[in-house]
Amino acid sequence: MKGILIIALLLACLPATAQERGAAKVEFRVTRFDPGDRKSPVFQVGPLEKQVEVEVPLTYIAGPFEAVLRDGRFLDFREGTEEEPGITVEIAEGERKDLLLLFIAGKAEFKILKVRTPVNRIAGGDRYIVNATTSDLAFKLGDSKPIRIEPGKSGLLKGPGGKDIVALPVLISQKKGDEWELASTENWYCDPRVRKYLFAYMSPRTGHLTFHPVSERL
């Protein structure tokens, strides 16, 4: 009888052990955009029984972190001791690696933008641009074809490739009404060792188009 009881207990433990071993996980990195420069938020990420603490910085990319997905699909973010997640992000099967979560600050909460970042998609010298203005923007780097990014959207401005650091002129245009106006002419360095994430926004202090850059060394 004692032997039967031990076997029953072992069998009861097997599903939980197998479930934990086969639980879907995601590996991710984080950074944020916040013109108000408020204190970096700290979240408890993942299921209540197995949480990971994640602080979301403003000037660099933190991670990688690894967390278990709820129901194999959902990444939960909790602040403080709350039991219910304040933010939930759905993670598809193909998004469990090379994932950057961009936290974009609103008045009371964050919007999270998922960016897949394998090197063959966003390489050194490339710039991933988020348009946080209320008008269309266009970017032309060197002799390349310009890209257009609508408000609230994002786009990838490819670098020239190669192994050398080069400086290229960039023309930045902004649509006002039905017309395009030149907003800025600059020289941007393209470094094959570094990729950048740019948040384009209107500065509340100057009223001019401004960029918040975050760099990631490869």
Side-chain angles (χ1 to χ4, degrees), residues 128-186:
Y128 187 91
I129 304 173
V130 179
N131 183 0
T133 75
T134 57
S135 57
D136 287 14
L137 298 176
F139 299 83
K140 178 175 173 56
L141 181 66
D143 295 328
S144 64
K145 184 179 179 180
I147 66 167
R148 177 175 175 175
I149 307 176
E150 298 176 357
K153 304 292 185 179
S154 58
L156 182 62
L157 185 64
K158 297 293 291 183
K163 298 181 179 180
D164 298 324
I165 301 173
V166 297
L168 293 175
V170 59
L171 301 179
I172 306 168
S173 302
Q174 188 172 19
K175 193 172 185 182
K176 296 185 177 179
D178 295 327
E179 303 293 330
W180 285 94
E181 295 184 7
L182 186 64
S184 179
T185 58
E186 304 177 12

Side-chain angles (χ1 to χ4, degrees), residues 12-33:
C13 292
L14 282 175
T17 304
Q19 183 178 2
E20 182 177 345
R21 187 167 56 245
K25 297 180 180 179
V26 60
E27 184 179 275
F28 64 96
R29 306 174 325 280
V30 296
T31 191
R32 82 181 197 279
F33 167 66

Side-chain angles (χ1 to χ4, degrees), residues 172-218:
I172 306 168
S173 302
Q174 188 172 19
K175 193 172 185 182
K176 296 185 177 179
D178 295 327
E179 303 293 330
W180 285 94
E181 295 184 7
L182 186 64
S184 179
T185 58
E186 304 177 12
N187 281 326
W188 283 1
Y189 282 91
C190 298
D191 186 337
R193 302 167 299 177
V194 177
R195 56 187 177 188
K196 294 187 175 182
Y197 304 89
L198 299 180
F199 298 87
Y201 69 105
M202 303 304 293
S203 169
R205 184 175 61 85
T206 66
H208 295 154
L209 182 65
T210 307
F211 293 95
H212 171 67
V214 182
S215 298
E216 184 175 38
R217 194 175 184 87
L218 300 175

Side-chain angles (χ1 to χ4, degrees), residues 27-132:
E27 184 179 275
F28 64 96
R29 306 174 325 280
V30 296
T31 191
R32 82 181 197 279
F33 167 66
D34 182 3
D37 194 13
R38 288 164 285 189
K39 184 179 178 180
S40 296
V42 178
F43 296 97
Q44 301 299 320
V45 182
L48 285 170
E49 65 276 7
K50 197 172 183 181
Q51 293 189 328
V52 177
E53 184 172 279
V54 173
E55 181 172 353
V56 185
L58 182 67
T59 58
Y60 64 95
I61 294 172
F65 304 96
E66 187 179 74
V68 173
L69 297 173
R70 175 172 52 84
D71 298 331
R73 295 173 55 199
F74 302 105
L75 185 62
D76 294 329
F77 291 80
R78 297 175 175 83
E79 288 189 89
T81 58
E82 64 182 14
E83 291 192 7
E84 292 298 320
I87 304 173
T88 294
V89 182
E90 186 170 359
I91 306 294
E93 187 172 350
E95 298 173 332
R96 295 177 186 172
K97 285 187 177 181
D98 298 318
L99 181 64
L100 175 64
L101 299 180
L102 301 178
F103 284 67
I104 302 175
K107 291 183 179 180
E109 58 186 15
F110 286 100
K111 173 186 175 183
I112 297 182
L113 179 64
K114 297 183 294 182
V115 184
R116 288 275 291 117
T117 61
V119 175
N120 61 2
R121 180 172 181 264
I122 305 179
D126 294 351
R127 286 170 169 83
Y128 187 91
I129 304 173
V130 179
N131 183 0

